[in-house]
Amino acid sequence: QVHLVESGGGLVQPGGSLRLSCAASGRDFSIAVMGWYRQAPGKERELVASISTGGVTNYPDSVKGRFTISRDNAKNTVYLQMTGLKPEDTAVYYCNVKIFWSTYWGQGTQVTVSS
């Protein structure tokens, strides 16, 4: 049974920073592609960042230079460091793990950027 537990969300002022964590259990996650998605009210879920087994990262232009994804395979944990946060970053952030043909999602953590 795969289990993903996210933490680190909250309320932050524009320009502030947050670090999200996703602790995974139940599989060998060293072979997984891990990532973060977000979904704002009334919008589709979108990719925020991903990291391959070899540490290759991918970001959309909207967060490039502000967000950094990293992983600790020994802890089966993926992180998302977010800096320079903007109100448009407000969304529920979901951890995502892909292992071969299987995809797993966390329960989501709310990030609100507001003054």
Side-chain angles (χ1 to χ4, degrees):
Q1 181 86 12
V2 172
H3 197 46
L4 304 177
V5 179
E6 298 131 333
S7 60
L11 173 65
V12 64
Q13 292 187 344
S17 300
L18 282 175
R19 189 174 86 150
L20 306 182
S21 300
C22 174
S25 61
R27 290 287 299 270
D28 177 11
F29 292 96
S30 65
I31 61 172
V33 176
M34 307 183 83
W36 290 92
Y37 286 70
R38 68 185 180 188
Q39 187 166 20
K43 295 187 176 181
E44 293 187 354
R45 193 171 295 190
E46 63 176 356
L47 174 70
V48 175
S50 67
I51 184 166
S52 72
T53 56
V56 177
T57 58
N58 180 49
Y59 307 94
D61 288 343
S62 58
V63 307
K64 198 172 292 183
R66 300 188 298 122
F67 291 8
T68 302
I69 189 171
S70 61
R71 63 191 292 167
D72 184 336
N73 288 334
K75 296 182 178 179
N76 283 340
T77 300
V78 61
Y79 305 96
L80 184 69
Q81 179 68 49
M82 303 184 292
T83 63
L85 283 162
K86 305 175 181 180
E88 52 263 43
D89 294 318
T90 296
V92 178
Y93 284 69
Y94 297 91
C95 178
N96 173 274
V97 172
K98 296 181 176 66
I99 303 176
F100 299 124
W101 55 86
S102 299
T103 299
Y104 306 95
W105 294 94
Q107 80 283 358
T109 185
Q110 177 70 45
V111 172
T112 302
V113 185
S114 175
S115 56

